[in-house]
Amino acid sequence: MPEEKIVAVATRPVASAQHGEAAFFDVDNTLMRGASLFHVARKMYQRGAFTIPQAAGFAWKQLMFVFRGENIDDVHAVRDTALSLASGFTVEDIAALGEEVYDEMIESRIWPGTKALAEQHLRMGRPVWLVTATPIEVATVISTRLGLTGALGTVGEIRDGSYTGRLVGEILHGPAKAVAVRGIAESEGLDLNRCWAYSDSHNDIPLLSMVGHPVAINPDTRLRRHAREHNWPVYDFRSGRRAATLGLKAATVGGAIYGLWRGFSRFRGPTV
């Protein structure tokens, strides 16, 4: 029988919530710049898990993620590819990969403003959880390194100490995040009306809508509009956001892909 894993992992003792309060943070484009799964793919490429054409596909999806925000079809496509590539990796392999990805690629991409918000909640005695479609192993590393309470993430099935390439449950995305947070609230005795949630994506509106204090961070167009209509706070930590957007629109697709391609090719090592 496959080994069962839970969707949430506590990385530090769960403190008694301040009046049943807690804060929940999305990861991609909310806590960090870009998509964490893309950086996992880069690290797997270093280890020879897939080919250069597959790397180009990941690069294109990362470009689209930065350009237009989160898209459910792209999320599912990356998930399916990553799962197939992870098949056969051991638990120890993925744990080490998560640590390397954080040190080499994620730490420098953490938004200082979002980190400061999380730290403020901790100082007020509120547990802080990450809620992300990112693999739970990587989400747990991020949570641990930042001193947060724990993480909820997508869980891969393990058999005999290795990943099978299948999921336990569904990808933690969209409405699934709301379900997972409700489960944490029930187990920890939280009052969701006194909780906070932070995200950049309109896909997380179900999560944001279920808490008393929803906050949009670096929002996509649809979430920005929704936040304004509902008087939600909006924080944008992207410096020169409008200029950057215009620059992306003016750039050729070939030029943008070249930059991402170099992100992969620099890890290929010397040619023979």
Side-chain angles (χ1 to χ4, degrees):
M1 294 290 292
E3 301 172 32
E4 293 295 327
K5 295 178 68 179
I6 58 175
V7 70
V9 174
T11 57
R12 58 186 288 181
V14 180
S16 297
Q18 178 78 11
H19 306 299
E21 299 171 359
F24 300 92
F25 285 78
D26 173 50
V27 172
D28 296 345
N29 270 354
T30 303
L31 178 64
M32 62 168 285
R33 182 175 72 255
S36 52
L37 189 56
F38 172 76
H39 301 296
V40 173
R42 286 175 61 184
K43 179 58 66 174
M44 293 178 74
Y45 175 65
Q46 287 183 42
R47 299 189 176 191
F50 55 94
T51 65
I52 288 177
Q54 288 172 318
F58 274 110
W60 172 257
K61 289 180 175 61
Q62 171 74 343
L63 171 65
M64 290 297 98
F65 185 87
V66 171
F67 182 74
R68 71 186 181 195
E70 193 173 76
N71 177 277
I72 186 61
D73 292 333
D74 288 344
V75 170
H76 285 167
V78 172
R79 173 207 63 186
D80 293 341
T81 303
L83 281 171
S84 65
L85 296 173
S87 179
F89 274 69
T90 67
V91 173
E92 292 75 15
D93 287 334
I94 298 299
L97 184 146
E99 297 283 350
E100 293 174 13
V101 167
Y102 183 86
D103 288 336
E104 299 173 17
M105 304 169 187
I106 291 178
E107 184 176 24
S108 62
R109 291 173 171 82
I110 299 291
W111 295 110
T114 308
K115 181 181 177 183
L117 287 170
E119 291 171 343
Q120 181 178 10
H121 283 295
L122 291 173
R123 286 194 297 270
M124 296 297 294
R126 302 183 187 110
V128 176
W129 293 85
L130 300 182
V131 189
T132 176
T134 295
I136 187 62
E137 293 81 3
V138 176
T140 300
V141 171
I142 298 172
S143 176
T144 301
R145 295 298 190 89
L146 295 179
L148 309 182
T149 304
L152 299 88
T154 299
V155 179
E157 183 186 74
I158 298 170
R159 186 191 296 270
D160 298 327
S162 297
Y163 289 85
T164 66
R166 295 185 293 271
L167 288 180
V168 175
E170 293 297 322
I171 185 172
L172 199 64
H173 183 268
K177 288 185 179 180
V179 173
V181 166
R182 190 172 296 280
I184 289 290
E186 292 174 356
S187 65
E188 300 298 329
L190 302 175
D191 179 356
L192 288 173
N193 288 325
R194 300 181 66 88
C195 289
W196 282 254
Y198 299 82
S199 179
D200 71 293
S201 173
H202 70 276
N203 291 306
D204 289 339
I205 288 176
L207 168 61
L208 294 166
S209 298
M210 71 187 292
V211 301
H213 304 283
V215 181
I217 292 184
N218 306 327
D220 61 26
T221 301
R222 290 172 62 181
L223 178 57
R224 184 179 293 273
R225 181 170 60 248
H226 187 91
R228 286 175 175 168
E229 290 172 353
H230 292 80
N231 295 315
W232 293 354
V234 175
Y235 296 104
D236 201 321
F237 300 125
R238 298 166 292 189
S239 61
R241 180 175 60 86
R242 290 184 176 86
T245 299
L246 291 173
L248 275 172
K249 289 182 178 179
T252 64
V253 171
I257 283 294
Y258 176 77
L260 288 167
W261 177 263
R262 292 293 296 171
F264 277 102
S265 62
R266 64 189 292 261
F267 295 110
R268 290 173 59 188
T271 57
V272 294

